[in-house]
Amino acid sequence: RSKALGGHQVHVYNDAMRQSNLEQLHLEQELRLALEGQQLAVHFQPKLDLATQRISGVEALARWHHPDMGWIPPSAFIPLAERTGLIHQLGSWVLEAACAQAAHWFEQGYSIQVAVNIAAQQIESGQLVHEVDQLLNQHGLPAQLLQLELTESTLMEDVEASVSEMQRLRQRGVSLAIDDFGTGYSSLSYLQRFPLDLLKIDRSFLQTQQTSHQQGTLTQAIIALGHGLGLKVVAEGVEYADQLEALRGLGCDYVQGYLISRPLAAEQLQPLLVEKADRRVTQDNPL
Ligand code: C2E
Ligand code: MG
Ligand code: MG
Ligand code: MG
């Protein structure tokens, strides 16, 4: 199965490869090489603030372009990296690239929060806080411009450890989001224990938004839950204008999805940022 994305990106990777151990081993070796070479990249997907109609942040997403196999989707290499321990190296690389880019936008006068996906093993390592401290320092990046996304399932793996690492991150001013909310079967009573800023509604809740009344009811309930806990709420996977309008009507704070923009390389995103991104208050630029 080959899938064209945006006309120019071609996925040569196919599902059959996932099942073969030999191919897994091969892919693991290739991922090691990719981490040492120049094959990995980070793309950024904007988040639109529905109150201001401005882009207030972006999500950093890992991308792997293999010289022979083409684009390999994160759904293939992230789980592989998690199984093989390569996620530590990959996660650190993405975090560094994201902080460097965030600092660059900050220097250009933008106020763009960059969100980075964090795997369970990165939280469990106990090194994350130290790593974040170093990166913020090194790049002169205000902590509020960094957000970390943790999935519901990641947080549930070790609730105590997650809570304590999150508290340390939050003390520094780093923003925290719960990702793919609604898919991880976490007990709702846990939700209030995690020090969070943002709840990301999984895109599976939106898929049939236009046709299904029940789906809309669930989305509405999740937004109310998030707001009840004092969190901002973002809907991911927004592809159609009527979804955006429905979410606006439900009081959703932010939307992210192909309707706004696909994830893009920083340079490709620049025109959209020039037009729509929040700018920070400076002496030159009082508004
Ligand atoms: P996620 O964090 O939930 O990221 C959102 C995914 O939805 C991204 O897929 C994004 O490209 C896709 N998406 C965004 N808008 C739309 C839309 O309107 N329609 C559809 N159909 N899809 C949309 P992507 O980039 O393939 O990443 C998949 C998952 O891989 C991510 O889900 C995240 O869990 C993981 N991932 C990606 N990069 C990293 C990383 O650096 N570290 C870790 N630990 N995980 C990562
Ligand atoms: Mg995410
Ligand atoms: Mg998500
Ligand atoms: Mg998701």
Side-chain angles (χ1 to χ4, degrees), residues 13 15-29 80 83-84:
Y13 176 90
D15 287 338
M17 287 169 77
R18 193 191 309 246
Q19 281 140 28
S20 149
N21 285 333
L22 205 64
E23 287 298 346
Q24 281 295 303
L25 211 61
H26 176 62
L27 205 61
E28 179 185 342
Q29 281 159 0
L80 174 74
R83 277 198 304 279
T84 56

mmCIF file of all heavy atoms in Angstrom, residues 13 15-29 80 83-84:
data_model
loop_
_atom_site.group_PDB
_atom_site.id
_atom_site.type_symbol
_atom_site.label_atom_id
_atom_site.label_comp_id
_atom_site.label_asym_id
_atom_site.label_seq_id
_atom_site.Cartn_x
_atom_site.Cartn_y
_atom_site.Cartn_z
ATOM 1 N N TYR A 13 6.645 2.457 2.611
ATOM 2 C CA TYR A 13 6.477 1.490 3.691
ATOM 3 C C TYR A 13 5.105 0.832 3.583
ATOM 4 O O TYR A 13 4.111 1.484 3.339
ATOM 5 C CB TYR A 13 6.586 2.225 5.025
ATOM 6 C CG TYR A 13 6.342 1.339 6.203
ATOM 7 C CD1 TYR A 13 7.399 0.670 6.801
ATOM 8 C CD2 TYR A 13 5.067 1.140 6.681
ATOM 9 C CE1 TYR A 13 7.175 -0.162 7.874
ATOM 10 C CE2 TYR A 13 4.831 0.306 7.753
ATOM 11 C CZ TYR A 13 5.891 -0.340 8.345
ATOM 12 O OH TYR A 13 5.650 -1.157 9.396
ATOM 13 N N ASP A 15 2.233 -2.264 5.218
ATOM 14 C CA ASP A 15 1.852 -2.949 6.452
ATOM 15 C C ASP A 15 2.453 -4.345 6.578
ATOM 16 O O ASP A 15 2.697 -4.828 7.677
ATOM 17 C CB ASP A 15 0.325 -3.048 6.552
ATOM 18 C CG ASP A 15 -0.274 -1.686 6.869
ATOM 19 O OD1 ASP A 15 0.455 -0.837 7.405
ATOM 20 O OD2 ASP A 15 -1.457 -1.486 6.577
ATOM 21 N N ALA A 16 2.690 -5.002 5.443
ATOM 22 C CA ALA A 16 3.262 -6.341 5.489
ATOM 23 C C ALA A 16 4.625 -6.313 6.180
ATOM 24 O O ALA A 16 4.998 -7.244 6.884
ATOM 25 C CB ALA A 16 3.405 -6.896 4.074
ATOM 26 N N MET A 17 5.346 -5.202 5.986
ATOM 27 C CA MET A 17 6.672 -5.084 6.589
ATOM 28 C C MET A 17 6.591 -5.113 8.098
ATOM 29 O O MET A 17 7.502 -5.575 8.770
ATOM 30 C CB MET A 17 7.337 -3.786 6.145
ATOM 31 C CG MET A 17 7.803 -3.830 4.710
ATOM 32 S SD MET A 17 8.293 -2.203 4.140
ATOM 33 C CE MET A 17 9.892 -2.054 4.925
ATOM 34 N N ARG A 18 5.509 -4.618 8.625
ATOM 35 C CA ARG A 18 5.345 -4.558 10.066
ATOM 36 C C ARG A 18 5.349 -5.961 10.672
ATOM 37 O O ARG A 18 5.770 -6.164 11.787
ATOM 38 C CB ARG A 18 4.010 -3.862 10.377
ATOM 39 C CG ARG A 18 3.834 -3.451 11.806
ATOM 40 C CD ARG A 18 2.397 -3.039 12.024
ATOM 41 N NE ARG A 18 1.963 -2.077 11.024
ATOM 42 C CZ ARG A 18 1.644 -0.817 11.299
ATOM 43 N NH1 ARG A 18 1.709 -0.381 12.519
ATOM 44 N NH2 ARG A 18 1.231 -0.012 10.348
ATOM 45 N N GLN A 19 4.831 -6.932 9.901
ATOM 46 C CA GLN A 19 4.666 -8.272 10.450
ATOM 47 C C GLN A 19 5.947 -9.101 10.402
ATOM 48 O O GLN A 19 6.062 -10.082 11.110
ATOM 49 C CB GLN A 19 3.541 -8.997 9.700
ATOM 50 C CG GLN A 19 2.163 -8.541 10.189
ATOM 51 C CD GLN A 19 1.171 -8.380 9.077
ATOM 52 O OE1 GLN A 19 1.283 -9.049 8.051
ATOM 53 N NE2 GLN A 19 0.209 -7.511 9.268
ATOM 54 N N SER A 20 6.878 -8.729 9.594
ATOM 55 C CA SER A 20 8.060 -9.549 9.446
ATOM 56 C C SER A 20 9.147 -9.141 10.439
ATOM 57 O O SER A 20 9.567 -7.995 10.492
ATOM 58 C CB SER A 20 8.563 -9.439 8.005
ATOM 59 O OG SER A 20 9.954 -9.572 7.974
ATOM 60 N N ASN A 21 9.610 -10.115 11.231
ATOM 61 C CA ASN A 21 10.664 -9.827 12.201
ATOM 62 C C ASN A 21 11.945 -9.369 11.529
ATOM 63 O O ASN A 21 12.655 -8.510 12.034
ATOM 64 C CB ASN A 21 10.974 -11.075 13.041
ATOM 65 C CG ASN A 21 9.885 -11.328 14.070
ATOM 66 O OD1 ASN A 21 9.208 -10.398 14.503
ATOM 67 N ND2 ASN A 21 9.712 -12.575 14.426
ATOM 68 N N LEU A 22 12.212 -10.004 10.404
ATOM 69 C CA LEU A 22 13.416 -9.662 9.661
ATOM 70 C C LEU A 22 13.366 -8.199 9.246
ATOM 71 O O LEU A 22 14.331 -7.450 9.376
ATOM 72 C CB LEU A 22 13.518 -10.572 8.434
ATOM 73 C CG LEU A 22 14.924 -10.771 7.890
ATOM 74 C CD1 LEU A 22 15.802 -11.486 8.905
ATOM 75 C CD2 LEU A 22 14.866 -11.570 6.591
ATOM 76 N N GLU A 23 12.208 -7.813 8.756
ATOM 77 C CA GLU A 23 12.043 -6.420 8.333
ATOM 78 C C GLU A 23 12.123 -5.481 9.528
ATOM 79 O O GLU A 23 12.629 -4.373 9.426
ATOM 80 C CB GLU A 23 10.723 -6.237 7.585
ATOM 81 C CG GLU A 23 10.709 -6.843 6.190
ATOM 82 C CD GLU A 23 11.751 -6.219 5.249
ATOM 83 O OE1 GLU A 23 12.302 -5.140 5.580
ATOM 84 O OE2 GLU A 23 12.008 -6.825 4.204
ATOM 85 N N GLN A 24 11.602 -5.925 10.665
ATOM 86 C CA GLN A 24 11.681 -5.113 11.884
ATOM 87 C C GLN A 24 13.131 -4.852 12.261
ATOM 88 O O GLN A 24 13.515 -3.745 12.618
ATOM 89 C CB GLN A 24 10.976 -5.830 13.049
ATOM 90 C CG GLN A 24 9.474 -5.718 13.016
ATOM 91 C CD GLN A 24 9.014 -4.288 13.210
ATOM 92 O OE1 GLN A 24 9.346 -3.650 14.212
ATOM 93 N NE2 GLN A 24 8.278 -3.763 12.252
ATOM 94 N N LEU A 25 13.913 -5.930 12.175
ATOM 95 C CA LEU A 25 15.323 -5.839 12.497
ATOM 96 C C LEU A 25 16.029 -4.891 11.534
ATOM 97 O O LEU A 25 16.855 -4.070 11.913
ATOM 98 C CB LEU A 25 15.937 -7.243 12.420
ATOM 99 C CG LEU A 25 17.098 -7.525 13.358
ATOM 100 C CD1 LEU A 25 16.630 -7.378 14.806
ATOM 101 C CD2 LEU A 25 17.631 -8.929 13.121
ATOM 102 N N HIS A 26 15.663 -5.042 10.280
ATOM 103 C CA HIS A 26 16.227 -4.185 9.253
ATOM 104 C C HIS A 26 15.858 -2.726 9.519
ATOM 105 O O HIS A 26 16.710 -1.840 9.486
ATOM 106 C CB HIS A 26 15.713 -4.646 7.885
ATOM 107 C CG HIS A 26 16.151 -3.774 6.753
ATOM 108 N ND1 HIS A 26 17.464 -3.598 6.411
ATOM 109 C CD2 HIS A 26 15.435 -2.998 5.906
ATOM 110 C CE1 HIS A 26 17.536 -2.758 5.400
ATOM 111 N NE2 HIS A 26 16.328 -2.378 5.075
ATOM 112 N N LEU A 27 14.582 -2.518 9.809
ATOM 113 C CA LEU A 27 14.098 -1.154 10.044
ATOM 114 C C LEU A 27 14.769 -0.546 11.286
ATOM 115 O O LEU A 27 15.075 0.641 11.313
ATOM 116 C CB LEU A 27 12.577 -1.171 10.195
ATOM 117 C CG LEU A 27 11.852 0.132 9.855
ATOM 118 C CD1 LEU A 27 12.073 0.552 8.416
ATOM 119 C CD2 LEU A 27 10.353 0.000 10.139
ATOM 120 N N GLU A 28 15.002 -1.396 12.283
ATOM 121 C CA GLU A 28 15.681 -0.920 13.494
ATOM 122 C C GLU A 28 17.098 -0.442 13.157
ATOM 123 O O GLU A 28 17.539 0.614 13.615
ATOM 124 C CB GLU A 28 15.739 -2.040 14.541
ATOM 125 C CG GLU A 28 16.462 -1.608 15.808
ATOM 126 C CD GLU A 28 16.630 -2.739 16.824
ATOM 127 O OE1 GLU A 28 15.918 -3.760 16.718
ATOM 128 O OE2 GLU A 28 17.492 -2.592 17.710
ATOM 129 N N GLN A 29 17.799 -1.234 12.349
ATOM 130 C CA GLN A 29 19.152 -0.838 11.936
ATOM 131 C C GLN A 29 19.104 0.460 11.140
ATOM 132 O O GLN A 29 19.934 1.354 11.318
ATOM 133 C CB GLN A 29 19.798 -1.942 11.084
ATOM 134 C CG GLN A 29 20.332 -3.083 11.922
ATOM 135 C CD GLN A 29 20.504 -4.372 11.121
ATOM 136 O OE1 GLN A 29 20.214 -4.409 9.920
ATOM 137 N NE2 GLN A 29 20.961 -5.419 11.779
ATOM 138 N N LEU A 80 8.400 1.288 17.051
ATOM 139 C CA LEU A 80 9.677 0.580 16.913
ATOM 140 C C LEU A 80 10.727 1.182 17.848
ATOM 141 O O LEU A 80 11.443 0.476 18.558
ATOM 142 C CB LEU A 80 10.154 0.654 15.457
ATOM 143 C CG LEU A 80 11.548 0.100 15.149
ATOM 144 C CD1 LEU A 80 11.541 -1.422 15.174
ATOM 145 C CD2 LEU A 80 12.046 0.590 13.797
ATOM 146 N N ARG A 83 9.997 0.144 21.370
ATOM 147 C CA ARG A 83 10.354 -1.256 21.667
ATOM 148 C C ARG A 83 11.846 -1.450 21.814
ATOM 149 O O ARG A 83 12.287 -2.308 22.549
ATOM 150 C CB ARG A 83 9.861 -2.173 20.520
ATOM 151 C CG ARG A 83 8.420 -2.591 20.613
ATOM 152 C CD ARG A 83 8.152 -3.801 19.728
ATOM 153 N NE ARG A 83 8.519 -3.602 18.333
ATOM 154 C CZ ARG A 83 7.768 -2.975 17.441
ATOM 155 N NH1 ARG A 83 6.601 -2.478 17.797
ATOM 156 N NH2 ARG A 83 8.163 -2.850 16.192
ATOM 157 N N THR A 84 12.629 -0.674 21.077
ATOM 158 C CA THR A 84 14.071 -0.921 21.022
ATOM 159 C C THR A 84 14.874 0.032 21.908
ATOM 160 O O THR A 84 16.094 -0.090 21.971
ATOM 161 C CB THR A 84 14.580 -0.744 19.575
ATOM 162 O OG1 THR A 84 14.212 0.567 19.137
ATOM 163 C CG2 THR A 84 13.952 -1.771 18.645
#
